[in-house]
Amino acid sequence: MTTSTATTSSSSHVSSPPCAETVRIKLLKTQLTAEQEQAAVFNWAHTRVLATNDQVRCPRTVAELQALVRAHAHVRPVGSRLTYEALTCVAESDTSVLVDLSAMPSGLVHMDPVTHEATFWAGTTVEAVADTLRQHGRALDCSPGVIGVQTLAGAIGTGTHGQGLGQAFVGDSVVQIDLFRAVDGARVRIGRDSPLLDAARLHLGVLGVVVQITLRTQPLRILTCTKATIAVDDFVSSFVDVNRREEYVKAWWFPNTDLVHVWAASPASVRDIATWRAAGGNQVVDVEAASEDRLASTIRDLEAKMARDTCDDQHGGRQFETVARFKRAVSVTGTMQQVYMKGIPVPQINCEIAVPLTRFHDAVAALQTWLRHTTHQLHYPFIFRCTGASSAWLAPHQGQELCYIGFLVYLSKDGTATPGSFDMMRELQAVLAPLGGAPHWGKHMALDGMYAWHELFPQMPAFAALMDEWDPMGKWQNTFTRDLFAAMPRTLVDAARPQVRAWASAAKVLGAAPSDVEGKKKRVGLPQLQAHL
């Protein structure tokens, strides 16, 4: 994404009002005419046009969805519209449509009484999945992301993850996935017996439109999350060990301070579970006396800076809720969902980079060096979450433990950001890239040649070969995905093709499929509205 006319250096301090046009970065919403804005469908942060209103299709049944797949030359699925980059955008043409599954059935389809594997409709939100499983005394077999409104298909498609070395992506809990492929519109079932399941675990929406997903589950467990604020040196020396000792660990390092706030959750004691149940079990409960944390004064300073950065002197925006919680370092007990699914979808520029866990210490040292020399200032702490090895083809450093490092900039109500925001985001990516840093698929990333994609994602050429097999005419692709996969060395793609072709031809097809006619349709380019980015 590019920005428009704001060019004031982030290192300068001006006397004009903080929301003055000359000192703010104008994002997409501020660059559209009233007519264009009325006709546009935006992502959740209103920073990108996904399509025009008349391009959106909302099928109500599986049959309607399949008919749409077969009728249109270019299709992109969309869930809760949380993805930052242009992954879900469609070209502004008569043949391109954005398929919204919100009108389709949602919720639980079936739970196996023996294995307790649960099948859900693809458009079910992650929060609804967790709620439904809880009613059955079960839980997700992984730590979910923080945003509960994300659809299950979207969470899998973009590599959503939580924290904990004993699990990886949400997609790593998938044991079966049904989707409509492009080449013939057939419904294909990819199960645990297919090598392609590891491709479908993180699919970017380019293998087909997902219909149903079957997940492993685990018995519902109650956790106690211990919270503490520690010095950054203690954080550096202990974080990996804490992750190996505790099940789910998350940390926030506050820039320009020596302080790191850490949450570590593991199974609750009998006493803590009794306290939680006595309170009704519908929310987390404190299991020790609440007190103002040593971080409280830092948070107050952070809130003041955030107010300036987001032009919100009244602290009325929900972004303040995301930092106010750090004022209380009280341990709590609850379900995984209650403890960690606390994300608030406030408009923001959000970036998250995965480095091999073996490079964690190097990454912190590199960020410390950057902080000493940069003129930029973050108004939110660095976020650290570790995950175990993933088998997904599009997982960074497939098969390795990872440490994800997140950083973000909140946007103001008028859709603008502080000067230098994108420069800062790129600088931070450049700091972590030499350490094997790889971007999160659903968040902001540098697209200017910084990343050697096939080195960071070793199975990406095989994934490209599968796309060629199932979508030779590019039905599911847009400019973003075409450019992304065009960077794959063709020798690597060709080397993977014979094996991938054999696996693809063996995929289980549900029902007959008519011949495809997409080869006669002309490809289209970027939408006119996207020219305003």
Side-chain angles (χ1 to χ4, degrees):
M1 174 174 173
T2 58
T3 58
S4 63
T5 57
T7 57
T8 302
S9 170
S10 62
S11 61
S12 62
H13 297 277
V14 295
S15 58
S16 54
C19 282
E21 293 281 328
T22 57
V23 299
R24 304 289 297 179
I25 294 178
K26 294 182 180 180
L27 299 179
L28 173 61
K29 186 176 179 180
T30 60
Q31 299 177 61
L32 298 178
T33 65
E35 183 179 4
Q36 289 171 330
E37 185 172 342
Q38 187 175 10
V41 176
F42 294 95
N43 66 345
W44 68 286
H46 272 240
T47 57
R48 188 173 297 279
V49 170
L50 305 183
T52 57
N53 287 315
D54 59 6
Q55 289 178 290
V56 178
R57 302 291 184 271
C58 299
R60 295 165 296 176
T61 66
V62 172
E64 287 184 9
L65 175 59
Q66 189 171 38
L68 279 172
V69 168
R70 289 171 172 164
H72 294 276
H74 296 279
V75 178
R76 289 299 291 153
V78 68
S80 302
R81 306 177 186 178
L82 295 170
T83 301
Y84 185 87
E85 296 298 346
L87 182 62
T88 52
C89 295
V90 297
E92 188 181 0
S93 73
D94 293 337
T95 59
S96 296
V97 295
L98 192 70
V99 176
D100 183 338
L101 300 182
S102 60
M104 290 276 290
S106 66
L108 182 67
V109 178
H110 172 73
M111 180 176 287
D112 189 288
V114 177
T115 66
H116 300 290
E117 293 172 351
T119 301
F120 287 90
W121 290 99
T124 310
T125 65
V126 175
E127 186 173 44
V129 169
D131 287 340
T132 300
L133 291 178
R134 181 184 172 188
Q135 294 169 15
H136 289 79
R138 308 294 295 181
L140 287 164
D141 188 33
C142 64
S143 172
V146 298
I147 304 295
V149 299
Q150 189 176 26
T151 65
L152 185 57
I156 291 168
T158 54
T160 293
H161 64 91
Q163 51 278 313
L165 292 178
Q167 51 85 65
F169 298 128
V170 174
D172 283 282
S173 294
V174 172
V175 297
Q176 180 176 286
I177 186 166
D178 285 12
L179 54 80
F180 287 122
R181 66 186 179 193
V183 68
D184 52 10
R187 181 171 175 174
V188 177
R189 174 162 295 169
I190 307 172
R192 57 165 54 87
D193 58 340
S194 172
L196 298 183
L197 184 59
D198 285 337
R201 292 187 194 282
L202 202 171
H203 53 74
L204 299 184
V206 294
L207 296 184
V209 177
V210 178
V211 183
Q212 291 180 353
I213 299 164
T214 303
L215 302 163
R216 288 193 310 271
T217 68
Q218 63 178 327
L220 181 67
R221 297 189 305 155
I222 311 305
L223 308 172
T224 289
C225 179
T226 302
K227 303 178 183 179
T229 300
I230 62 177
V232 67
D233 289 344
D234 294 333
F235 164 68
V236 172
S237 64
S238 66
F239 188 58
V240 174
D241 290 338
V242 171
N243 270 274
R244 300 209 182 281
R245 184 173 66 248
E246 306 286 345
E247 288 199 37
Y248 307 105
V249 182
K250 186 173 183 178
W252 295 261
W253 172 26
F254 288 79
N256 305 316
T257 76
D258 182 44
L259 301 176
V260 179
H261 191 64
V262 182
W263 291 11
S266 284
S269 67
V270 173
R271 184 196 67 178
D272 289 350
I273 293 174
T275 301
W276 176 78
R277 293 193 188 282
N282 295 317
Q283 59 185 5
V284 295
V285 295
D286 295 354
V287 291
E288 66 178 36
S291 62
E292 186 174 57
D293 184 66
R294 62 191 283 200
L295 200 59
S297 61
T298 296
I299 297 302
R300 286 191 287 270
D301 292 342
L302 193 65
E303 288 173 328
K305 184 179 188 304
M306 187 180 292
R308 294 191 298 271
D309 289 346
T310 61
C311 309
D312 190 352
D313 292 335
Q314 302 302 313
H315 291 200
R318 297 199 70 196
Q319 65 268 21
F320 293 97
E321 297 177 38
T322 67
V323 295
R325 58 186 171 175
F326 297 123
K327 293 178 181 177
R328 294 175 71 250
V330 58
S331 299
V332 298
T333 292
T335 65
M336 169 66 74
Q337 177 186 8
Q338 292 167 350
V339 171
Y340 279 112
M341 200 181 292
K342 296 291 187 180
I344 300 170
V346 180
Q348 59 190 248
I349 309 166
N350 191 323
C351 186
E352 191 175 34
I353 304 300
V355 298
L357 186 58
T358 55
R359 304 304 302 271
F360 163 73
H361 296 93
D362 297 330
V364 175
L367 291 174
Q368 288 174 319
T369 299
W370 178 81
L371 283 169
R372 285 194 296 269
H373 296 94
T374 187
T375 58
H376 298 295
Q377 289 189 341
L378 287 168
H379 67 213
Y380 196 82
F382 289 111
I383 307 167
F384 292 81
R385 295 185 289 173
C386 298
T387 67
S390 171
S391 63
W393 286 9
L394 291 186
H397 305 288
Q398 185 190 40
Q400 294 188 45
E401 294 175 328
L402 302 172
C403 178
Y404 279 88
I405 303 172
F407 37 93
L408 60 89
V409 172
Y410 285 124
L411 307 182
S412 64
K413 290 182 179 179
D414 65 358
T416 62
T418 52
S421 294
F422 285 100
D423 292 338
M424 178 178 66
M425 288 292 182
R426 193 190 185 288
E427 281 185 19
L428 286 167
Q429 292 178 76
V431 166
L432 297 173
L435 304 176
H440 187 299
W441 290 114
K443 302 182 180 183
H444 173 59
M445 65 184 77
L447 297 170
D448 55 3
M450 178 180 296
Y451 298 111
W453 299 106
H454 66 284
E455 295 177 3
L456 299 172
F457 303 88
Q459 293 299 318
M460 203 166 173
F463 192 93
L466 180 59
M467 290 169 57
D468 290 345
E469 291 299 314
W470 276 359
D471 187 16
M473 301 312 300
K475 180 191 288 282
W476 310 126
Q477 294 201 50
N478 61 10
T479 299
F480 177 88
T481 61
R482 278 194 294 270
D483 290 347
L484 181 68
F485 286 96
M488 290 301 98
R490 298 315 298 178
T491 54
L492 297 180
V493 177
D494 292 340
R497 198 179 306 282
Q499 182 64 80
V500 168
R501 179 172 294 156
W503 290 336
S505 62
K508 183 177 181 180
V509 176
L510 307 181
S515 60
D516 182 53
V517 295
E518 309 305 336
K520 299 179 181 179
K521 305 278 182 90
K522 182 180 179 181
R523 293 192 180 189
V524 293
L526 282 169
Q528 294 176 9
L529 283 177
Q530 285 297 102
H532 290 273
L533 282 172

